[in-house]
Amino acid sequence: MKQAEPSAPSLESANPDPGSAAHANPTVPIISPHFCSPNPVVIEIVRKVLTITGDKFVVTDVNGNMIFKVKEAYFSFHDHRVLLDAAGHPIITLRRKFNTAHERWQVFRGDSKDSRDLIFSAKRSSMFQLKAKLDVFLAQNITENVPDFKVKGNWSERSCVVHAGDSSTMLAQMHKKHTVTPLSFGKDNFTVTVYSGTDYAFIVALIAIFCEVNTPRAGAQASGD
């Protein structure tokens, strides 16, 4: 299994909204502590609706410096994405689990698909829901009685919030960045505020899954989890 030694890029700090719910304080190194900042940071994500190169997402800092890319693998039996660092090294692999009613995705270290390298999984909170919601379970949460994290959002507005479990503690917020430039055609532009101590590679992975789960695609899901 190939795996990059992650290095943390310099990201611009953000000022949390003092009127919003509580923000995360302890470090949450889900992917790596290298991706946890002691201060809130802002990242920007461009999601390409149509892509020839396979670059589904490009993640930059506010100055346009690339941090990550999310590529889709063509001609693969398993529908999966790979989160790469700026040098092109795989950090994690996101794999859609087939035959699941709740659209489950599993996330592994590096380019692995071995269950021993499973980090977390995410699925729709319910089969039928008016709001876009994901339940997120760390690999060690075998029973999955209570999610470790939740993603709640409004897909029509391209916005979401990541919470720690069922609490009101926010780890990150995403909003659509409105742009009228000709180059924005066929793309979604997001601004993401990641609060202090939160693993921003983990947040990017959750947003990628949130987008995939809420994007209509051919094929119906069978029963199961």
Side-chain angles (χ1 to χ4, degrees), residues 50-162:
L50 297 174
T51 173
I52 298 175
T53 62
D55 296 343
K56 293 283 289 185
F57 297 83
V58 176
V59 184
T60 67
D61 62 19
V62 293
N63 297 314
N65 300 309
M66 191 176 72
I67 307 169
F68 305 120
K69 286 196 300 186
V70 178
K71 295 183 70 74
E72 65 179 356
Y74 291 121
F75 310 113
S76 172
F77 181 75
H78 294 285
D79 192 356
H80 70 276
R81 313 283 183 259
V82 181
L83 178 69
L84 307 169
D85 65 13
H89 300 123
I91 298 172
I92 53 175
T93 296
L94 297 72
R95 302 177 68 87
R96 189 196 307 268
K97 190 175 181 181
F98 287 141
N99 300 323
T100 62
H102 291 250
E103 189 84 2
R104 181 185 288 267
W105 283 74
Q106 296 177 308
V107 178
F108 302 85
R109 296 195 180 279
D111 56 3
S112 175
K113 59 181 179 181
D114 193 308
S115 61
R116 292 174 297 181
D117 294 313
L118 179 68
I119 304 172
F120 69 91
S121 63
K123 67 175 185 177
R124 291 181 187 272
S125 298
S126 63
M127 289 179 61
F128 306 103
Q129 50 190 30
L130 298 176
K131 294 285 187 178
K133 297 179 182 179
L134 295 178
D135 290 340
V136 183
F137 305 95
L138 297 177
Q140 59 266 34
N141 185 349
I142 305 298
T143 62
E144 296 190 352
N145 291 327
V146 178
D148 297 288
F149 304 93
K150 278 184 172 287
V151 183
K152 301 179 181 180
N154 186 323
W155 179 242
S156 63
E157 296 180 359
R158 302 297 195 269
S159 65
C160 69
V161 176
V162 180

Side-chain angles (χ1 to χ4, degrees), residues 7-15 32-45 58-68 86 172 192-204:
S7 60
S10 177
L11 298 176
E12 182 170 316
S13 297
N15 294 316
S32 170
H34 292 282
F35 300 126
C36 297
S37 170
N39 301 307
V41 297
V42 174
I43 58 178
E44 297 190 354
I45 300 177
V58 176
V59 184
T60 67
D61 62 19
V62 293
N63 297 314
N65 300 309
M66 191 176 72
I67 307 169
F68 305 120
V192 183
T193 301
V194 183
Y195 293 108
S196 57
T198 302
D199 187 324
Y200 51 85
F202 171 61
I203 296 300
V204 170

Side-chain angles (χ1 to χ4, degrees), residues 157-177:
E157 296 180 359
R158 302 297 195 269
S159 65
C160 69
V161 176
V162 180
H163 289 275
D166 287 322
S167 73
S168 61
T169 300
M170 291 194 300
L171 303 182
Q173 293 186 79
M174 179 188 83
H175 298 284
K176 184 173 183 178
K177 180 180 179 181

